[in-house]
Amino acid sequence: DYGGTYMLERHNPSAVGVCDMDMSCSNNFTEDNIDVLIVSKYINCVTHAVLHGLQLYLQDIGIIHIIVPASMMSRCLSMKLKRVTCYEEGQVLDYEDLWVSSSWPNQHGWTPSKSRGKWYYQQFLKLLAFKKIPLTKKYVIWDSDNVLIPLCWTNLVQNT
């Protein structure tokens, strides 16, 4: 599980627009666009459904930024979807620097559980991604398995 969905606002946006893998951007969108940030362990059919739903039903969507493990980068890049940019998680936040540290336990005596280490890492990826990824002023952190569907479809299911 990669957590929930959050709406965050950056205080000093570095760019708004279409971003290439080298993180250079062109300003093709307005400031009203909202980027989406997804941290995903896998690229699979669920990922495709999530991206399709976001692009089809999310109003004022900007770029969808997906952070994946190195093992999923080629799969992510092979999707070749418009306004979707893939990032290898190690480029965004180095797991080893974060967890192999002499600062554990912290000043309050807390040490992250080894079994929860990846979960904590994913949370830090979501919260610190704005430092490495050029996001719009307002952006959404979207859970990697939340598929956006139209309201009329849910009403249809409820009536059967």
Side-chain angles (χ1 to χ4, degrees):
D1 184 358
Y2 278 73
T5 302
Y6 309 93
M7 174 68 125
L8 299 178
E9 182 169 340
R10 290 194 45 206
H11 295 290
N12 189 11
S14 61
V16 177
V18 178
C19 303
D20 297 323
M21 287 308 294
D22 66 357
M23 297 186 191
S24 62
C25 299
S26 62
N27 295 331
N28 292 344
F29 298 111
T30 69
E31 238 183 86
D32 294 333
N33 287 111
I34 298 171
D35 281 355
V36 177
L37 177 69
I38 299 173
V39 177
S40 185
K41 189 187 281 188
Y42 305 106
I43 298 296
N44 55 25
C45 60
V46 175
T47 311
H48 287 272
V50 168
L51 297 174
H52 178 74
L54 287 170
Q55 289 182 328
L56 199 57
Y57 303 114
L58 189 62
Q59 188 175 6
D60 298 325
I61 190 169
I63 304 296
I64 300 174
H65 304 271
I66 304 177
I67 302 172
V68 296
S71 61
M72 290 287 121
M73 250 330 253
S74 63
R75 234 179 175 176
C76 190
L77 293 170
S78 71
M79 291 188 300
K80 297 181 181 174
L81 297 173
K82 291 182 180 180
R83 299 183 329 204
V84 174
T85 305
C86 302
Y87 300 90
E88 194 270 312
E89 62 186 25
Q91 293 176 335
V92 178
L93 185 63
D94 186 13
Y95 182 81
E96 294 303 319
D97 285 348
L98 188 64
W99 295 107
V100 181
S101 170
S102 59
S103 62
W104 303 114
N106 71 10
Q107 64 201 25
H108 304 291
W110 179 80
T111 301
S113 165
K114 289 190 189 263
S115 66
R116 299 284 286 170
K118 284 287 191 178
W119 183 85
Y120 287 113
Y121 176 61
Q122 292 158 5
Q123 305 318 305
F124 283 121
L125 273 171
K126 292 174 191 175
L127 296 174
L128 298 174
F130 76 93
K131 292 182 173 232
K132 299 280 183 153
I133 297 174
L135 297 163
T136 51
K137 183 176 179 180
K138 293 182 180 178
Y139 63 98
V140 174
I141 297 176
W142 194 267
D143 197 14
S144 63
D145 60 2
N146 285 347
V147 178
L148 199 54
I149 57 175
L151 186 58
C152 61
W153 187 82
T154 58
N155 288 340
L156 177 68
V157 172
Q158 290 173 353
N159 292 333
T160 58

